[in-house]
Amino acid sequence: MATPLHALRRTRARGLTEGARRRGAPGAQDRRVAVIGLGGRGGALADELTRRGLDVLGVDADEQAVSARRATLARVAVADVTDPGERERLGLAGHGALPGAFPRTFPRAVVALGAGGLAGLVVASELVEGGIPDVWVHAPGAHRATLARRLGARPVDASDATALGDVITATLGVNDA
């Protein structure tokens, strides 16, 4: 017997969620990306993607991690992305941002929380469910990569920010600026 979870998995396995289908998948010309988690790997990735000419929003719940990136990123925010209201305020909910919030919905996000733990997979799942058409998650190892794919996110496992930037920009079809 199929449960709602099975139906969601089938939808995600086919590609985009229903909300993402209505909006359409992001094109390579849309250079906006949100990086969730600005610790070691995420912060370095945000800097690398900015260097490559992408329009990056850096988000972390830790004020110190955000402060460390204020000089290198045009847009940063202290936020708990596990909160649906915060995702909406940041333009990470796929339904449009709230008045007075970040002005536009981000078509893609990279989740780089912790050392590839389950928190990143949970956040990636929430972003996919919220309608973000293109979600990447740091998922080292075969088991986490399988979980990420089942949740509708793209698993990424790279040794450093430059390698991760190479993977993401190559897949997006974006050349260095």
Side-chain angles (χ1 to χ4, degrees):
M1 183 164 101
T3 66
L5 182 57
H6 288 111
L8 176 61
R9 284 184 181 151
R10 279 194 306 275
T11 299
R12 287 180 178 172
R14 287 191 301 263
L16 302 173
T17 63
E18 198 57 41
R21 278 195 192 100
R22 284 191 299 271
R23 285 187 319 284
Q29 71 280 1
D30 191 339
R31 301 174 74 84
R32 293 174 294 137
V33 61
V35 176
I36 313 299
L38 296 176
R41 185 179 308 268
L45 174 63
D47 290 345
E48 180 67 18
L49 293 175
T50 297
R51 185 190 69 75
R52 292 171 186 241
L54 275 74
D55 180 12
V56 177
L57 165 66
V59 182
D60 202 296
D62 180 20
E63 174 65 46
Q64 288 181 323
V66 171
S67 293
R69 297 291 174 218
R70 287 195 196 281
T72 57
L73 300 178
R75 290 182 287 172
V76 291
V78 177
D80 176 7
V81 293
T82 62
D83 178 356
E86 287 293 287
R87 288 193 305 272
E88 186 86 10
R89 179 182 70 83
L90 294 169
L92 296 173
H95 307 296
L98 296 173
F102 285 83
R104 46 195 182 164
T105 301
F106 281 78
R108 62 183 61 87
V110 181
V111 181
L113 295 177
L118 295 178
L121 291 170
V122 171
V123 169
S125 174
E126 291 293 327
L127 294 173
V128 169
E129 182 65 20
I132 301 299
D134 199 7
V135 177
W136 300 69
V137 63
H138 174 62
H143 295 298
R144 287 192 175 107
T146 299
L147 281 172
R149 281 192 283 290
R150 286 181 181 169
L151 295 170
R154 296 183 192 207
V156 179
D157 184 9
S159 59
D160 62 30
T162 302
L164 194 53
D166 289 344
V167 170
I168 292 171
T169 55
T171 303
L172 295 176
V174 175
N175 297 321
D176 288 356

